[in-house]
């Protein structure tokens, strides 16, 4: 699971109050909703570290394909893949999701991951967690509907969902030969979303957790 660790010196300086210079970096877990290795949304997340404040650490989670279908009968004994996903979310201060759009909707495996993350509902690992949703798609909408559905699901789970969005339409035309976004406007939007997400995460993490992180319960209960 590769970690993109922003350098304290030499990266984009943070203009975000309450993020840099507080003893540790804001940890953001990045999740691509596509399973394809060369997906546009994976590229978008790889670009996110350049748009993030300097005191931010991005970790790309690659366990989506390993998750089994959500089954309430398995809640009492979740697989290691489910436990690992919940632990990764619990250890992060915020989550960044980049989703494609399949048949005018949210990818099934991403929805499946959110279903697993939502249990146990009362103290699930996404509850009150700052989450931003962005997306790229070959369609003219830039995965607008999928992003909207993702935000709806995340809000129902109890996450602190950002209203900001990044729509990357006609994705094949938006990335240059170096894999970067060609549009200055899209690059600026990505930067602004990362600033906002880092700020929200910084404000959410209470002082005791800054010195010693504790993990919420990651076991499941039957609904």
């Amino acid at each position: 699971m590769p970690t993109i660790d922003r350098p304290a010196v030499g990266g984009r300086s943070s203009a975000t109050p309450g993020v840099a210079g507080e003893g540790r970096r804001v940890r953001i877990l990045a999740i691509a909703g596509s399973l394809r290795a060369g997906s546009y949304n994976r590229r978008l997340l790889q670009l996110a570290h350049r748009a993030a404040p300097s005191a931010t650490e991005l970790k790309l989670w690659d366990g989506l394909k390993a998750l089994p279908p959500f089954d309430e009968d398995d809640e009492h004994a979740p697989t290691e893949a489910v436990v690992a996903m919940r632990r990764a979310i619990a250890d992060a201060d915020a989550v960044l999701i980049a989703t494609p759009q399949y048949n005018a909707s949210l990818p099934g495996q991403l929805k499946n991951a959110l279903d697993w993350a939502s249990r146990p509902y009362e103290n699930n690992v996404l509850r009150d967690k700052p989450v931003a949703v962005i997306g790229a798609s070959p369609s003219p909408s830039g995965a607008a509907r999928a992003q909207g559905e993702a935000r709806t699901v995340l809000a129902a789970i109890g996450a602190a969902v950002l209203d900001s969005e990044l729509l990357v339409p006609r994705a094949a035309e938006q990335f240059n030969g170096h894999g970067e976004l060609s549009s200055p406007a899209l690059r600026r939007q990505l930067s602004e979303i990362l600033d906002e997400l880092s700020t929200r995460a910084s404000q959410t993490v209470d002082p005791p957790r800054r010195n010693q992180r504790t993990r919420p319960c990651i076991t499941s209960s039957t609904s």
Side-chain angles (χ1 to χ4, degrees):
M1 194 166 7
T3 298
I4 305 171
D5 196 357
R6 296 286 299 170
V9 179
R12 184 171 70 83
S13 62
S14 174
T16 307
V19 175
E22 293 192 356
R24 74 165 180 82
R25 302 183 180 191
V26 171
R27 290 180 272 200
I28 298 176
L29 187 70
I31 300 175
S34 172
L35 300 178
R36 187 168 65 90
S39 77
Y40 298 119
N41 288 280
R42 184 174 295 273
R43 293 188 203 178
L44 205 52
L45 293 179
Q46 290 169 345
L47 292 174
H49 78 283
R50 303 178 190 176
S54 58
T56 300
E57 176 186 297
L58 291 178
K59 178 178 288 187
L60 181 60
W61 180 70
D62 277 327
L64 189 64
K65 192 171 185 177
L67 295 176
F70 177 74
D71 186 341
E72 289 184 344
D73 291 339
D74 295 334
E75 283 191 67
H76 66 288
T79 66
E80 178 55 35
V82 172
V83 173
M85 177 195 67
R86 290 175 175 166
R87 184 178 298 119
I89 295 173
D91 285 345
D93 300 313
V95 177
L96 175 65
I97 296 174
T99 180
Q101 183 166 291
Y102 296 159
N103 298 314
S105 186
L106 192 65
Q109 190 67 349
L110 177 57
K111 175 60 165 59
N112 182 59
L114 296 178
D115 288 341
W116 276 117
S118 72
R119 302 302 180 96
Y121 180 75
E122 294 78 10
N123 62 335
N124 71 73
V125 291
L126 281 169
R127 184 165 297 281
D128 298 323
K129 184 87 64 177
V131 182
V133 181
I134 60 178
S137 171
S139 72
S141 73
R145 184 172 295 183
Q147 290 187 52
E149 291 183 359
R151 292 187 186 91
T152 297
V153 173
L154 287 161
I157 291 172
V161 188
L162 273 62
D163 291 330
S164 303
E165 63 180 10
L166 175 64
L167 307 175
V168 183
R170 300 182 178 88
E173 303 172 11
Q174 300 291 355
F175 293 89
N176 62 26
H178 301 288
E180 300 172 338
L181 288 171
S182 300
S183 167
L186 291 177
R187 293 198 302 268
R188 182 175 63 254
Q189 282 181 265
L190 182 58
S191 177
E192 290 171 351
I193 288 173
L194 267 294
D195 280 343
E196 182 181 0
L197 185 61
S198 296
T199 298
R200 290 279 293 274
S202 170
Q203 294 169 346
T204 300
V205 177
D206 55 297
R209 286 181 63 198
R210 290 190 182 280
N211 298 321
Q212 182 177 1
R213 297 185 59 78
T214 58
R215 290 177 181 168
C217 174
I218 59 174
T219 58
S220 295
S221 59
T222 304
S223 63

